[in-house]
Amino acid sequence: MMGWAIAILFGSAVVLLILSFIKTTQTNSRLEQQIEHVSISVLNEVHELEKQLRNIQLDAEITAQQAGAAPAVSEERELLREMLDLYKRGYSVESIAGKTKLKPNEVEHMLSPFMAQKGERGLVAQ
């Protein structure tokens, strides 16, 4: 009698183990599908953002060309881009001057159109 009970328990354990493996495989498969769907949607969003960025860059180039501005690939424009980035991230004029090896008054002169815009926006926002 005791032998039969042990055999039944052992058989039940084997069946439960097999069911557990099957369930784990199904769960892993579903998880992999969900991960694949998420990665595809993220890639699609990144592609859309790249397209929008490309359009913005082209629009900026067209606007600069129509306004008769300097070409987009000039050293002065690169310097201004770097200075404006630092300014918008909260760096002081003196810090920007130190990083760009310019005098503070030169930095302030180059950034003055952007500083005025920021000040005007602040007044409107209040």
Side-chain angles (χ1 to χ4, degrees):
M1 183 73 160
M2 183 76 136
W4 283 102
I6 291 176
I8 291 172
L9 287 175
F10 184 73
S12 298
V14 170
V15 169
L16 289 174
L17 183 65
I18 291 171
L19 288 175
S20 172
F21 280 130
I22 291 171
K23 196 70 168 166
T24 302
T25 305
Q26 290 173 348
T27 303
N28 285 342
S29 177
R30 273 191 237 127
L31 184 60
E32 287 173 1
Q33 288 175 347
Q34 288 174 345
I35 290 172
E36 189 173 323
H37 286 299
V38 168
S39 67
I40 288 172
S41 67
V42 167
L43 286 174
N44 286 338
E45 288 179 27
V46 166
H47 178 70
E48 284 300 313
L49 287 172
E50 286 174 342
K51 249 172 49 177
Q52 289 177 357
L53 182 60
R54 216 174 3 260
N55 287 339
I56 289 171
Q57 288 172 333
L58 292 172
D59 288 345
E61 190 173 330
I62 290 168
T63 303
Q65 186 67 28
Q66 288 174 342
V73 191
S74 68
E75 287 181 31
E76 184 178 338
R77 189 172 185 102
E78 284 291 322
L79 178 64
L80 182 59
R81 185 180 293 142
E82 179 186 351
M83 290 177 10
L84 187 57
D85 178 51
L86 292 170
Y87 178 72
K88 288 192 181 265
R89 288 193 285 151
Y91 284 75
S92 68
V93 171
E94 290 77 18
S95 297
I96 297 171
K99 287 184 179 290
T100 57
K101 297 181 177 43
L102 294 172
K103 296 177 183 170
N105 63 348
E106 292 173 318
V107 171
E108 199 165 319
H109 176 71
M110 289 181 75
L111 290 177
S112 62
F114 305 100
M115 290 174 169
Q117 287 177 355
K118 185 178 180 181
E120 291 169 5
R121 283 191 206 126
L123 292 175
V124 172
Q126 294 175 351

